[in-house]
Amino acid sequence: MNVQTILSAKGTEVATIEPSATLAAATELLRELGFGALVTSADGRSLDGIVSERDIVRALAADGASALDHDVASCMSREVFTCSPSDSIDALMSMMTERRIRHLPVLANGDLAGMISIGDVVKFRLGELERENDQLHDYIQGNVS
C-alpha cells in the first residue's frame, strides 16, 4: 500500500496559507478547519514551507500576543519533509516516527498533491489490521470463499 491509497480515500485538497499572512489569520484557519498544520504557499500549488500549531505556540512563547501580528514566514518551517504518491505507508510511518513529524505534504512533479497526517496513517493502518483480523477469523471459522 502507498500514499496514493490514503489520498484516494481522504482526498487531495491541501489547506494553504500565504507566507505573508499573519499568524492570527493562520491560527483562525487552523481552528476553522480543525487542522494541526498548513502548507505555506504563495501560489497554492508550490511548497514554500509549513506552519504548525507547534510553530505558532513557540512564537507566542517568545513574543507574547504580539506574535499574532507577525507574518507566517517569520515562524514557518522552511525545511519540510515531503513524500510522493508512490511512497509506501511503512516508509511514511518510519519517517514520521524518526523525524517526529505529524504532517507530510505530498508532492507530485514538484506540485502539491495532498497532505498526509499521522492520524491518516494510523487510521489506514488500523483499517488494514481490522481487515486482516476479519480474514483470519473467517478462515478459522471455515468461512473461506
Side-chain angles (χ1 to χ4, degrees):
M1 297 291 179
N2 60 20
V3 170
Q4 186 58 52
T5 307
I6 294 176
L7 292 178
S8 294
K10 75 168 270 191
T12 58
E13 191 171 332
V14 180
T16 64
I17 192 162
E18 292 186 11
S20 60
T22 65
L23 288 180
T27 303
E28 177 59 26
L29 188 55
L30 287 168
R31 184 198 61 77
E32 182 182 306
L33 298 173
F35 291 172
L38 300 167
V39 168
T40 54
S41 174
D43 62 11
R45 290 185 320 271
S46 60
L47 175 69
D48 297 327
I50 193 167
V51 63
S52 69
E53 295 166 323
R54 189 179 296 172
D55 296 324
I56 295 170
V57 167
R58 286 182 182 139
L60 287 167
D63 298 327
S66 67
L68 294 173
D69 295 328
H70 299 171
D71 61 22
V72 170
S74 69
C75 78
M76 72 183 191
S77 299
R78 294 173 191 277
E79 216 175 292
V80 180
F81 294 99
T82 64
C83 61
S84 72
S86 62
D87 288 345
S88 74
I89 303 303
D90 289 340
L92 239 55
M93 288 191 303
S94 290
M95 182 190 311
M96 292 175 122
T97 301
E98 289 171 17
R99 303 202 183 273
R100 300 177 54 90
I101 51 180
R102 297 176 295 164
H103 302 90
L104 282 172
V106 182
L107 296 181
N109 302 318
D111 289 333
L112 287 169
M115 177 79 112
I116 300 289
S117 73
I118 191 69
D120 298 328
V121 175
V122 168
K123 180 180 175 182
F124 176 81
R125 188 65 183 119
L126 286 175
E128 272 187 333
L129 292 172
E130 228 174 87
R131 283 188 296 280
E132 288 173 14
N133 186 47
D134 289 346
Q135 289 172 346
L136 285 171
H137 183 267
D138 287 348
Y139 178 76
I140 292 168
Q141 297 297 316
N143 298 333
V144 179
S145 318

